[in-house]
């Protein structure tokens, strides 16, 4: 990229307003680039191009409301923008200085709109450490990163600290791996540093594979230099000269921004030879993965980087002793690397003051599922599930009841509603049978069937098992078939003890964490929701009304007004009756798709 | 592109500070030009342009310029409100470009209220 034609290289102009429009993947797929183009056109048409600057930022977190935009210095938050909203917005807010209420966030129906970002619970209840620059800078401009403390931590370690002091600082901070297992980062670095070898590697694991998780993706999209800076600091501490970012091909935007960031950092001498004139040499290569879940496992990832089939291997030797190409190798996840610069800048003590006894700092979660405010959330370790689901997430939509929260992705477990006040850290989650994982969090309401959920994760895992260990390859598939049969109403009472037995074998006899944790979805749902399995098996009934073979739809003749809305939408013409009279469903034709239930305004469609 | 030395990071950060201040909504002073229909027709746009030029010329990085709607006193437009950090806001009325320049140097930069152009100190009470 030619740096000369980037505006950042010139003297920045004075603007009276910055429009920070979200260009994270969520908002982009909701067409935020079209909104940006419309804004550019309208602002030019109005002659405001010299006064108002448009900045495309990384993910700002409130993905449910996208495309979103923040207007500074007014701190006004706009949501769900379309190109059609742009002329009004420019006329009112930017020409006349009147923020537009109709485009603001409304917490609950009937409540007044909230103009200021800082007054919206979703934002105000979070604590940003890793994401502290989210939405505040253009991730494709290195000068904006440098303008906000960027590369200061690197300059500090290179000029004022020895590698051992750097490792000590990370150790004292209490930072633990954010990829899942929670291994102490400083200790990991120390092992790699002490490992003999003249050339060493560090790897950034950006192979985020949990369904519904997008923390690492968003960190790279919104603040790629933070990851790079963390890696360069790590390279100095460990004594590594080569770095790799292993990222999945299906993250095109993250990959693009990563490439731009690496180019810019090289141009500035922040990567390559003689970094910042201090004699330290380190460069980073981006390696694209094809998106296999098993590549999140360190030795599989190394195999994939070397061009081999990604299969885990026996440890020891650990990667720190013999990793990529046989060199001592240190692997950390994206979020772990992004934590490093702020620890150096603000100090280990500051970082260690956030969080719980055993888990320091914050954690980024992608909160999805049956929750009003889906999005990217960063909170201190020790925050309760209740705070995340209700205060930040805005609760379960549609007046439904919360059933539980699934954390940790396919390797994680389900936490029931009764444990909603659980403070989240590595140990507390393990105690209740789940894991931190990389930070996926799926909120489930009363209409989620726990047996079906276990079936879903087993289906995912049997496809992602690399097949090396028999227990994982055959065991997970066998567990899947049993659970699927239960969902179909073909379960036997002996299935539950069989599942538990298989789970033990898969957990104990598989080489890597994929197999080791694969039974978690079954074990945790059996632990807290055994009655649902029993209802499926003994009563041939799905209490949540999800498993198709076990439910049937009927229309309540008292509530049905005969509006015919369901009749018109039924794809099988299975609903009959006269207008303004109660309708009936033909059970032989009904495919149980649920469209009638969604379309009924009178809650007259019943599932049993 | 020249390779950076540690001290070059400070230079870039200084250059970027103005933009960053604006995005944080915090600065030494906040100047609001009232741009309702009345303000615009009385010439508020020229006042805004003058202010933007002054900030650019003087290389100032911690003053926020912004707009708001009609201040309610349409006959005295163009108007602006100058709010220095930790001080009560001051409203100026019947502005011209020359008056704006004087207010900029004396009040915004110098901290001394230009009494002859000022309407009053303080804002209306908010209920």
């Amino acid at each position: 990229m030619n740096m000369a034609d980037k505006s950042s290289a010139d003297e920045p102009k004075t603007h009276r307003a910055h429009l920070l429009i979200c260009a994270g993947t969520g908002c982009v797929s909701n067409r935020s680039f079209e909104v940006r183009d419309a804004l550019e056109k309208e602002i030019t048409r109005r002659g405001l191009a010299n006064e108002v600057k448009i900045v495309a930022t990384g993910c700002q977190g409130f993905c449910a409301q996208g495309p979103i935009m923040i207007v500074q210095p007014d701190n006004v938050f706009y949501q769900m923008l379309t190109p059609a909203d742009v002329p009004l917005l420019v006329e009112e807010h930017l020409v006349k200085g009147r923020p537009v209420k109709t485009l603001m966030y409304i917490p609950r129906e009937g409540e007044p709109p909230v103009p200021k970002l800082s007054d919206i619970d979703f934002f105000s209840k979070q604590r940003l450490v890793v994401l502290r620059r989210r939405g505040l800078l253009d991730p494709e401009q290195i000068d904006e990163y440098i303008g906000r403390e960027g590369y200061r931590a690197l300059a500090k370690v290179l000029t004022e600290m020895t590698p051992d002091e750097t490792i000590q600082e990370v150790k004292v901070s209490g930072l633990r791996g954010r990829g899942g297992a929670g291994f102490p980062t400083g200790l990991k670095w120390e092992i790699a540093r002490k490992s003999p070898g003249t050339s060493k590697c560090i790897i950034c694991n950006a192979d985020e594979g949990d369904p519904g998780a997008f923390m690492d993706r968003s960190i790279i999209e919104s603040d790629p230099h933070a990851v790079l800076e963390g890696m360069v600091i790590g390279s100095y501490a460990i004594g590594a000269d080569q770095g790799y970012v292993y990222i999945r091909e299906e993250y095109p935007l993250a990959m693009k921004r990563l490439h731009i960031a690496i180019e810019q950092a090289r141009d500035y001498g922040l990567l390559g030879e003689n970094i910042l004139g201090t004699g330290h040499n380190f460069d980073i290569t981006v390696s694209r993965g094809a998106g296999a879940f098993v590549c999140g496992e360190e030795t599989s990832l190394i195999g994939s980087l070397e061009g081999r089939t990604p299969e885990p291997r026996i440890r020891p030797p650990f990667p720190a002793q013999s990793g990529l190409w046989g060199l001592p190798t240190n692997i950390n996840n994206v979020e772990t690397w992004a934590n490093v610069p702020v620890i150096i800048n603000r100090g280990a003590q500051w970082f260690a003051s956030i969080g719980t006894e055993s888990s320091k700092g914050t954690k980024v979660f992608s909160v999805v599922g049956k929750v009003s405010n889906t999005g990217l959330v960063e909170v201190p370790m020790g925050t309760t599930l209740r705070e995340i689901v209700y205060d930040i997430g805005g609760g379960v939509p549609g007046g439904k009841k919360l059933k539980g929260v699934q954390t940790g992705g396919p390797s994680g477990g389900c936490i029931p509603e009764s444990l909603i006040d659980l403070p989240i850290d590595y140990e507390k989650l393990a105690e209740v049978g789940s894991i931190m994982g990389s930070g996926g969090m799926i909120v489930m309401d009363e209409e989620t069937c726990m047996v079906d959920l276990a079936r879903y994760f087993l289906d995912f895992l049997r496809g992602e098992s690399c097949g090396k260990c028999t227990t994982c390859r055959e065991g997970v598939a066998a567990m899947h078939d049993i659970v699927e049969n239960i969902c179909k109403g073909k379960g036997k009472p002996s299935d539950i003890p069989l599942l538990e037995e298989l789970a033990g074998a898969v957990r104990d006899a598989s080489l890597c964490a994929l197999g080791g944790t694969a039974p978690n979805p079954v074990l945790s749902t059996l632990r807290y929701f055994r009655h649902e399995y029993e209802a499926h098996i003994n009563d041939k009934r799905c209490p949540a009304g999800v498993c198709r073979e076990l439910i049937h739809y009927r229309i309540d003749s008292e509530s049905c007004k005969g509006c015919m809305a369901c009749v018109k939408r039924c794809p099988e013409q299975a609903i009959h009756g006269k207008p303004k009279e109660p309708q009936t469903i033909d059970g032989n034709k009904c495919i149980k798709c649920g469209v009638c239930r969604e379309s009924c305004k009178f809650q007259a469609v019943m599932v049993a | 592109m020249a390779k950076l030395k540690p001290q070059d990071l400070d230079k870039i950060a200084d250059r970027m500070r103005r933009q960053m201040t604006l995005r944080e909504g915090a600065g030494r002073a906040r100047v609001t030009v009232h741009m309702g229909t009345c303000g615009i027709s009385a010439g508020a746009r020229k006042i805004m342009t003058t202010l933007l030029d002054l900030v650019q010329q003087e290389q100032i990085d911690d003053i926020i310029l912004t707009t708001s709607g009609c201040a309610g006193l349409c006959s005295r437009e163009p108007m602006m409100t100058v709010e220095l950090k930790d001080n009560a806001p001051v409203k100026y009325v019947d502005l011209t470009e020359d008056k704006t320049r004087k207010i900029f140097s004396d009040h915004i930069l110098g901290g001394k209220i230009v009494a002859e152009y000022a309407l009053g100190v303080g804002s209306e009470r908010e209920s």
Side-chain angles (χ1 to χ4, degrees), chain A residues 23-86:
Chain A
T25 290
C27 284
V28 168
S29 52
N30 278 321
R31 309 200 299 180
S32 69
F33 281 142
E34 286 178 33
V35 176
R36 181 197 58 187
D37 295 345
L39 279 166
E40 261 168 18
K41 234 168 97 184
E42 188 66 14
I43 280 166
T44 309
R45 193 180 73 79
R46 287 279 187 169
L48 299 173
N50 289 327
E51 298 176 16
V52 177
K53 183 184 166 91
I54 301 170
V55 185
T57 72
C59 179
Q60 303 185 3
F62 208 173
C63 309
Q65 307 301 118
I68 63 178
M69 180 171 86
I70 294 156
V71 179
Q72 292 291 15
D74 308 336
N75 203 23
V76 171
F77 175 85
Y78 289 122
Q79 61 168 24
M80 294 185 186
L81 296 176
T82 66
D85 297 326
V86 166

Side-chain angles (χ1 to χ4, degrees), chain A residues 14 16 51 136 144 148, chain B residues 4 23-24 45 56 65:
Chain A
T14 305
R16 65 172 167 88
E51 298 176 16
L136 284 171
E144 298 209 353
R148 299 191 76 91
Chain B
L4 301 185
R23 278 180 217 171
E24 275 163 10
R45 171 124 303 281
Q56 183 85 27
L65 291 179

Side-chain angles (χ1 to χ4, degrees), chain A residues 499-519:
Chain A
L499 274 175
E500 285 170 331
E501 193 187 337
L502 275 169
V506 172
R507 184 188 58 214
D508 296 339
S510 301
L511 193 55
C512 81
L514 192 156
T517 57

Side-chain angles (χ1 to χ4, degrees), chain A residues 546-567:
Chain A
V546 173
C547 297
R548 282 195 190 177
E549 275 83 353
L550 301 181
I551 55 169
H552 63 271
Y553 285 81
R554 69 177 180 83
I555 293 173
D556 179 42
S557 55
E558 304 243 317
S559 324
C560 180
K561 306 273 184 262
C563 74
M564 315 291 278
C566 58
V567 178

